[in-house]
């Protein structure tokens, strides 16, 4: 094994650098835009890899007497995530980059921990060191280890390298024998396309490549014909919802499935798949916000939405950055999202949303070891991202285009003035779960150029769909973040944003865009309250100056039991000014947000000034109106 000099001083420096925001020069403007410079994405990715790698290194259990010796301890629960073995790849990358033997040792120790703790006789690895845990993550671990051997095998002892190769052959056999296009959610068989090609390249097993090819060809049938979304994130796979929708999740598509298909198509020079994937990349990019956030307010698995992506997936960079030579807007997207990842990094770890740190949420390590792997993959595969060829390209949602409708997910995107919004009537729920993502004509996102998110959806009911990958909400006053009409009775909670059968239509003229929604108050089982149906109307009016929300419901309804709730996104520390009983102002960093209504605005109780929801990691001021026919205006004052 090669001997590398120790460079602890460098590691400590990286940790200090990662404790706050760093400013990087804007290479996309000015006189240097056409010069052969080092690209900002390349510089920023390298920086984040240093920062995150250092943090993971210092969380590795170094005490040989501990059962988890070699594992990476997560600060949120003091446990070692089973899938953290994926960090072997970034550790070897950093060892090669820094010439620091510490990272090499860390990679070896982590692999040994993985083999001792989550490796199974059938060739799989477990998602968690618990009997019966999910084995599908074998595809991600195998991919990371093959990449490590391909690039850094010469840094390993011959016997150690041979043992990994033998272990990977067993993993390949497990994947080839067990993965079909129906295995798990669609991200798993799609991830297997690239993994099996890699395994064949390393080990020379043609049957692996053939299985990967078969899965890739089948995966093409899971791109919707109308809009170009990848579907299959939840069952039923092959049966459409009453509105004709299949299971689509933006987070998993952009952070796992699309990257795998890009890597597969490039590796195998498959022009047909690359063409289909390029179309799909454009479709999904419609949902990237100008600040690099992914608008997964509507997805089937939005229970993992973290604003910058998804809680346990790898990252969009291997898809979008590596396709920057096909379209410059893809490079723009990768850079914007990477900047957002940096903004959500504190004390060396990536936090699960914009406001996790301000709300005092202790981070886990899952986000970090997944996304460091994605950035390493991008840098090791992408020679073109070192230099900028097509600077200054705008993201779709940076442009003011009015309204766009996506029938495959029954969702409308609005771009008017500096406002961006999403309204959804998507009626496909995740498997057998209920009250997950909002529907019913919900205004699932309202965003402004000067403030970022103003309104943002959460799950309709916070539930631990994947308990091991989600956080317990211990705040007794927490609530859904989606603006809604709500009725609470002894038999349950009834909301307009739960109605899968809601109808939506849009009207527009030169000055305004109007989205009109019609729904009912229903519970998670689509049942109305015992006294009878309550018809609801929620209209959203968008102009360049302001956004107006109108809520009304049947006059015969029991008014005492119904309220209109509008949680306004606001980070702790932002000053709230009560102008009057119906006007509230929130002072943000670059603007003041004025919320005014034709009825009294009541601030609902909170534990410490804000409600917080892990989906998508945002804080809010919960406002309520207890009268019918409410009109709420949201105005951003520059």
């Amino acid at each position: 094994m090669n001997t590398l000099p120790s460079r602890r001083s460098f590691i400590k420096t990286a940790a200090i650098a990662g404790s706050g925001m760093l400013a990087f020069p804007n290479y996309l403007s000015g006189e240097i835009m056409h010069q052969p410079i080092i690209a900002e994405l390349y510089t920023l990715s390298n920086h984040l890899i240093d920062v995150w790698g250092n943090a993971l290194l210092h969380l590795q259990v170094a005490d040989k007497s501990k059962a988890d010796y070699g594992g990476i301890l997560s600060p949120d629960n003091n446990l070692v995530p089973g899938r953290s073995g994926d960090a072997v790849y970034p550790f070897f990358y950093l060892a090669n980059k820094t010439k620091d033997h510490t990272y090499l040792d860390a990679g070896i120790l982590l692999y040994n921990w993985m083999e001792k703790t989550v490796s199974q006789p059938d060739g799989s690895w477990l998602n968690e060191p618990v009997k019966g845990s999910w084995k599908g993550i074998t595809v991600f671990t195998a991919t990371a280890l093959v990449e490590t051997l391909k690039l850094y095998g010469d840094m390993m002892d011959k016997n150690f390298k041979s043992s990994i190769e033998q272990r990977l052959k067993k993993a390949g056999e497990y994947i080839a024998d067990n993965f079909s296009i129906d295995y798990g959610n669609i991200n798993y068989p799609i991830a297997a396309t690239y993994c099996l090609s890699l395994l064949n390249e390393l080990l020379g097993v043609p049957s692996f490549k053939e299985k990967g090819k078969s899965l890739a060809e089948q995966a093409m049938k899971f791109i919707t014909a109308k809009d170009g979304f990848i579907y299959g994130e939840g069952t039923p796979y092959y049966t459409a919802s009453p509105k004709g929708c299949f299971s689509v999740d933006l987070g998993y598509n952009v952070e796992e499935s699309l990257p795998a298909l890009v890597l597969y198509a490039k590796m195998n020079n498959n022009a047909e798949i690359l063409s289909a994937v390029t179309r799909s990349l454009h479709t999904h990019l419609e949902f990237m916000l100008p600040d690099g956030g992914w608008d997964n307010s509507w997805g089937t698995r939005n229970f993992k939405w973290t604003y910058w992506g998804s809680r346990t997936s790898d990252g969009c960079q291997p898809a979008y950055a590596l396709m920057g030579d096909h379209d410059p807007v893809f490079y723009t997207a990768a850079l914007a999202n990477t900047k957002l990842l940096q903004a959500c990094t504190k004390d060396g770890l990536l936090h699960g949303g914009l406001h996790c740190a301000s709300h005092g949420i202790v981070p886990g390590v899952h986000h970090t070891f997944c996304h460091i792997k994605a950035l390493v993959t991008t840098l090791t595969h992408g020679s073109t991202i070192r230099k900028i060829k097509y600077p200054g390209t705008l993201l779709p949602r940076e442009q003011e285009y009015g309204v766009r409708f996506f029938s495959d997910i029954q969702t409308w995107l609005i771009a008017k003035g500096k406002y961006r919004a999403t309204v959804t009537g998507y009626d496909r729920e995740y498997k057998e779960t209920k009250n997950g993502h909002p529907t019913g004509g919900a205004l699932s996102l309202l965003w402004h150029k000067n403030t970022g998110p103003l309104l943002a959806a959460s799950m309709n009911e916070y539930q631990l769909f994947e308990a091991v990958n989600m956080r317990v909400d211990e705040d007794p006053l927490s609530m859904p973040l989606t603006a809604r009409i709500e009725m609470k009775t002894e038999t349950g909670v009834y909301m307009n944003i739960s109605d899968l059968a809601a109808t939506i239509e849009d009207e527009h003229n030169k000055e305004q865009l109007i989205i009109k929604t019609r729904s009912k108050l229903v519970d998670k089982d689509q049942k109305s309250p015992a006294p009878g149906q309550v018809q609801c109307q929620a209209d959203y009016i968008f102009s360049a100056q302001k956004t107006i929300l109108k809520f009304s419901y049947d006059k015969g309804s029991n008014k005492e039991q119904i309220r209109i709730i509008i949680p306004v996104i606001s980070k702790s520390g932002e000053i709230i000014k009560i102008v009057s009983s119906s006007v509230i102002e929130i002072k943000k960093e670059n603007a003041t947000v004025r919320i005014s209504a034709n009825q009294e605005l009541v601030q609902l109780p909170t534990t410490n000034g804000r409600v917080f929801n892990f989906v998508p990691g945002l804080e809010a001021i919960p406002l309520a109106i207890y009268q019918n026919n409410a009109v709420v205006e949201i105005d951003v004052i520059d």
Side-chain angles (χ1 to χ4, degrees):
M1 193 177 302
N2 295 345
T3 301
L4 305 177
S6 176
R7 291 183 59 191
R8 278 287 186 182
S9 59
F10 169 83
I11 299 170
K12 291 179 181 178
T13 301
I16 294 171
S19 62
M21 290 287 293
L22 289 184
F24 285 84
N26 182 9
Y27 293 123
L28 301 184
S29 61
E31 298 178 356
I32 62 173
M33 64 184 295
H34 296 299
Q35 297 177 12
I37 56 177
I38 299 299
E40 187 175 4
L41 177 59
Y42 181 80
T43 304
L44 180 55
S45 296
N46 263 305
H47 166 71
L48 282 175
I49 290 169
D50 289 341
V51 171
W52 292 341
N54 170 72
L56 293 175
L57 181 68
H58 283 80
L59 289 169
Q60 187 170 40
V61 179
D63 187 343
K64 294 181 179 180
S65 67
K66 300 292 186 181
D68 280 325
Y69 174 55
I72 298 174
L73 204 63
S74 192
D76 59 335
N77 56 16
N78 288 316
L79 298 174
V80 177
R83 192 178 159 188
S84 58
D86 289 12
V88 169
Y89 182 24
F91 277 157
F92 270 84
Y93 172 88
L94 283 164
N96 181 68
K97 173 187 172 182
T98 66
K99 310 308 177 189
D100 187 336
H101 205 292
T102 310
Y103 284 116
L104 186 63
D105 292 341
I108 295 169
L109 288 177
L110 183 56
Y111 176 80
N112 290 337
W113 171 87
M114 182 175 63
E115 283 305 283
K116 181 181 71 173
T117 311
V118 294
S119 181
Q120 299 299 292
D122 62 4
S124 68
W125 287 283
L126 299 177
N127 188 61
E128 296 299 328
V130 177
K131 186 177 180 180
S133 182
W134 174 241
K135 297 179 178 181
I137 58 93
T138 301
V139 71
F140 303 119
T141 302
T143 300
L145 289 176
V146 176
E147 299 277 27
T148 305
L149 285 185
K150 281 179 57 181
L151 293 168
Y152 311 115
D154 60 349
M155 298 172 64
M156 300 177 183
D157 174 89
K158 182 179 179 180
N159 291 332
F160 181 69
K161 180 181 179 182
S162 178
S163 68
I164 297 180
E165 290 174 340
Q166 293 173 29
R167 180 63 185 84
L168 281 170
K169 188 172 187 299
K170 291 177 62 178
E173 290 168 349
Y174 176 83
I175 296 167
D177 292 343
N178 290 277
F179 279 45
S180 68
I181 199 65
D182 300 304
Y183 180 87
N185 293 316
I186 194 65
N187 60 303
Y188 286 99
I190 286 181
T193 65
Y194 177 58
C195 178
L196 289 167
S197 286
L198 275 178
L199 284 164
N200 171 63
E201 183 181 66
L202 179 72
L203 303 174
V205 184
S207 61
F208 289 170
K209 183 176 181 178
E210 288 303 311
K211 180 62 177 282
K213 180 182 178 183
S214 174
L215 291 174
E217 291 171 349
Q218 293 175 75
M220 293 300 96
K221 300 176 183 178
F222 285 79
I223 298 178
T224 62
K226 292 180 183 177
D227 296 327
F229 292 101
I230 295 176
Y231 71 91
E233 289 299 330
T235 52
Y237 254 23
Y238 304 104
T239 304
S241 71
K243 292 182 180 179
C245 300
F246 291 90
S247 298
V248 177
D249 183 74
L250 183 80
Y252 272 87
N253 286 355
V254 300
E255 292 205 324
E256 284 192 353
S257 294
L258 285 168
L261 286 173
V262 166
L263 289 165
Y264 173 85
K266 282 180 170 284
M267 181 180 186
N268 291 282
N269 297 313
N270 192 313
E272 182 180 352
I273 289 179
L274 201 61
S275 176
V277 171
T278 300
R279 173 176 176 253
S280 190
L281 285 167
H282 279 292
T283 297
H284 289 81
L285 192 55
E286 296 285 345
F287 293 82
M288 175 172 275
L289 294 161
D291 61 4
W294 283 110
D295 175 12
N296 197 27
S297 57
W298 48 270
T300 54
R301 302 181 77 182
N302 95 314
F303 56 89
K304 287 191 175 182
W305 184 32
T306 56
Y307 192 75
W308 42 252
S310 200
R311 184 164 295 276
T312 59
S313 47
D314 285 351
C316 69
Q317 287 75 13
Y320 284 94
L322 297 184
M323 289 293 285
D325 55 345
H326 285 250
D327 192 320
V329 73
F330 295 156
Y331 173 93
T332 301
L335 176 59
N337 184 255
T338 307
K339 286 182 175 180
L340 181 60
L341 297 179
Q342 182 197 28
C344 292
T345 296
K346 183 176 175 58
D347 296 329
L349 292 178
L350 177 58
H351 289 237
L354 288 174
H355 298 163
C356 288
S358 61
H359 203 72
I361 303 298
V362 178
V365 296
H366 213 304
H367 315 321
T368 303
F369 69 70
C370 279
H371 285 76
I372 189 175
K373 185 179 65 171
L375 293 189
V376 167
T377 300
T378 303
L379 295 190
T380 56
H381 284 261
S383 59
T384 59
I385 70 167
R386 288 176 176 266
K387 296 180 180 180
I388 297 176
K389 293 183 178 181
Y390 312 100
T393 308
L394 293 177
L395 296 169
R397 227 163 172 179
E398 289 185 275
Q399 304 167 57
E400 184 182 1
Y401 53 69
V403 61
R404 290 179 180 170
F405 172 57
F406 296 86
S407 62
D408 285 335
I409 57 171
Q410 291 293 302
T411 295
W412 287 253
L413 298 185
I414 295 93
K416 189 68 175 176
K418 295 181 179 180
Y419 291 94
R420 302 294 180 266
T422 306
V423 177
T424 187
Y426 187 39
D427 68 337
R428 169 62 82 206
E429 295 185 283
Y430 182 66
K431 298 183 178 180
E432 301 302 318
T433 60
K434 299 177 180 179
N435 248 352
H437 70 80
T439 183
L443 180 57
S444 61
L445 189 80
L446 181 65
W447 186 97
H448 190 276
K449 182 178 180 180
N450 296 343
T451 65
L454 293 166
L455 302 175
S458 64
M459 299 169 67
N460 282 355
E461 177 187 348
Y462 189 73
Q463 307 161 71
L464 301 182
F465 289 170
E466 293 183 14
V468 72
N469 292 321
M470 298 176 69
R471 303 284 290 274
V472 175
D473 186 352
E474 298 177 339
D475 185 353
L477 297 177
S478 66
M479 65 166 62
L481 295 187
T482 317
R484 62 198 181 275
I485 304 173
E486 179 182 281
M487 179 179 186
K488 285 189 175 182
T489 72
E490 293 181 354
T491 59
V493 179
Y494 304 85
M495 301 184 292
N496 68 312
I497 59 171
S498 296
D499 184 7
L500 297 169
T503 61
I504 305 169
E505 59 184 32
D506 66 274
E507 300 176 359
H508 50 87
N509 55 44
K510 188 175 181 181
E511 300 299 324
Q512 292 182 332
L513 292 168
I514 304 173
I515 306 291
K516 295 184 176 181
T517 76
R518 304 294 181 270
S519 57
K520 301 188 298 291
L521 293 184
V522 297
D523 64 10
K524 65 181 181 180
D525 296 313
Q526 303 299 299
K527 294 180 179 179
S528 296
Q533 288 188 1
V534 180
Q535 300 289 337
C536 299
Q537 181 170 335
D539 296 344
Y540 315 114
I541 304 169
F542 305 95
S543 68
Q545 292 74 38
K546 64 182 65 176
T547 297
I548 301 173
L549 286 60
K550 294 184 176 181
F551 297 97
S552 61
Y553 46 88
D554 284 353
K555 292 182 180 180
S557 305
N558 187 338
K559 296 180 180 180
E560 288 74 22
Q561 291 180 306
I562 298 179
R563 58 183 182 173
I564 296 160
I565 301 178
I566 306 169
V568 180
I569 304 303
S570 175
K571 182 179 179 181
S572 291
E574 293 177 346
I575 297 173
I576 306 170
K577 180 181 179 181
I578 309 299
V579 179
S580 69
S581 63
S582 60
V583 180
I584 292 175
E585 291 183 349
I586 304 170
K587 179 64 177 176
K588 292 180 174 286
E589 183 177 358
N590 298 314
T592 297
V593 180
R594 174 183 282 251
I595 301 101
S596 57
N598 65 337
Q599 315 276 8
E600 181 182 5
L601 286 169
V602 178
Q603 284 194 61
L604 298 176
T606 63
T607 300
N608 59 0
R610 300 289 191 277
V611 292
F612 174 83
N613 202 297
F614 288 103
V615 177
L618 294 174
E619 296 178 295
I621 300 166
L623 303 177
I625 296 174
Y626 289 86
Q627 301 293 325
N628 199 355
N629 300 310
V631 179
V632 179
E633 295 188 3
I634 300 177
D635 186 14
V636 176
I637 305 168
D638 295 346

